[in-house]
Amino acid sequence: MTLTRARVGWAAAGVAAAAVVAATSLAAVHAGDVASRATSLPVAVAQVEATERPGEPVGPAELASHTVVTPVDRASGSWVSAVSVATGVGGVALQAYADATLAVARLAPGCHLGWTTLAAIGTVESGNGTHGGAQLLPDGRPSIPIVGPALDGTAGTAAIPSQPEDTAWHGDAAWSHAVGPMQFLPSTWSRWASDGDGDGVQDPNDVDDAALAAARYLCASGRDLATPEGWHAAVLSYNHDDAYVALVLATANGFAAAAGR
C-alpha cells in the first residue's frame, strides 16, 4: 500500500531480480558499525500467512507477544551520517532502518534482510517520512501526520471499513487508512506492533517502531531474503503489485550502489 503507486515494469526498473542478492539483502550493517549491544531482544518473529500484507486486515491481535524490552543494537552515528549523505535518506529514518536490520539479524538470522530493502520500502511508501511536507523529528515521529487515502473502494483501492479502535490513528470513522512512514493499516499494526526504540510505546507513526515491524513482517515464515525468490516473495507480501516490487528493487539497488555496499 503506497501513497503514490508508480507503474514500473521489471524491464523499466533496469535491474534483474538476481541483483538483489548482492545489492540488497547482503547490504547489511556490519558488526563494526554497531554502536551498542543490548542484552535482550525486542519481539519474536511471528508467522504470516501468504495472504497477509500490511495493506490488508489480518488475524486477531497478538499484542501479548509484543513485550516491551530494552532497546536493540544501534548503528553507529558515524555510519548513519556517512550513508545518509551518500544516499539522501534522512538520518532519522536511516537510523531506524539500520537498527531494525540489526534487530532482525538476531531475531531471524536466516532472513538476511538488508537496510537497503527497508529504506527502499520507506522511500516508496512515504518518502522516508516526508510525504506531504512532513519531516521526521528526532523522536522518529513525523511533524505532521502521514495518512494514506481512504480505502473506500474507489480509485483502485480496497474497500476496508474503519473499526472503532482504528479511528484514533487516522480520524475517519467510515473507512480505514494506512498510517505512518511505513504505511501500516491499524488492523495490521495490531498484530505486528513493535517498539523499535525501547520507549515503551508501539506507534506506527514512529519510524523506529514501524521499521522494526516491517522488518519482522518481511522476515516472517522463514523467508531468506538473500535469495531472489525469498526477497521477491517478501516484498510482494508487503504490496501485491509487481510494479511495486520492481520499484522497491530498483530503489534498493540504487541505495546499495550509492553507499558502496
Side-chain angles (χ1 to χ4, degrees):
M1 73 305 29
T2 59
L3 292 165
T4 55
R5 179 176 295 176
R7 307 302 302 182
V8 180
W10 282 102
V15 288
V20 76
V21 175
T24 304
S25 293
L26 299 185
V29 184
H30 296 291
D33 300 320
V34 179
S36 63
R37 295 276 181 190
T39 58
S40 54
L41 299 176
V43 288
V45 175
Q47 293 296 306
V48 59
E49 299 297 330
T51 56
E52 296 175 6
R53 64 188 175 104
E56 296 177 345
V58 294
E62 297 177 347
L63 293 179
S65 66
H66 300 162
T67 304
V68 176
V69 297
T70 57
V72 298
D73 295 347
R74 288 180 60 79
S76 71
S78 60
W79 182 92
V80 170
S81 296
V83 175
S84 177
V85 170
T87 62
V89 178
V92 174
L94 185 60
Q95 183 80 59
Y97 303 144
D99 292 352
T101 299
L102 291 169
V104 83
R106 298 178 67 191
L107 291 165
C111 176
H112 304 116
L113 173 66
W115 64 267
T116 49
T117 297
L118 289 177
I121 289 174
T123 298
V124 175
E125 295 293 349
S126 71
N128 298 308
T130 65
H131 178 78
Q135 294 182 338
L136 290 181
L137 303 176
D139 67 357
R141 292 173 174 84
S143 57
I144 57 176
I146 299 175
V147 179
L151 299 176
D152 57 5
T154 64
T157 66
I160 304 177
S162 182
Q163 301 301 314
E165 61 272 21
D166 301 344
T167 305
W169 291 120
H170 50 64
D172 188 344
W175 299 103
S176 193
H177 299 245
V179 298
M182 303 302 281
Q183 287 289 280
F184 275 94
L185 278 180
S187 54
T188 309
W189 183 255
S190 69
R191 178 168 184 175
W192 295 95
S194 302
D195 181 16
D197 51 13
D199 65 358
V201 178
Q202 298 165 329
D203 184 357
N205 296 296
D206 183 339
V207 71
D208 299 298
D209 298 350
L212 180 56
R216 292 175 54 232
Y217 186 95
L218 292 166
C219 288
S221 299
R223 299 186 184 110
D224 181 358
L225 274 67
T227 66
E229 298 80 11
W231 190 93
H232 180 273
V235 178
L236 189 63
S237 76
Y238 208 91
N239 189 320
H240 293 172
D241 183 351
D242 280 338
Y244 176 91
V245 176
L247 183 57
V248 170
L249 177 64
T251 304
N253 283 339
F255 288 150
R261 60 176 70 196

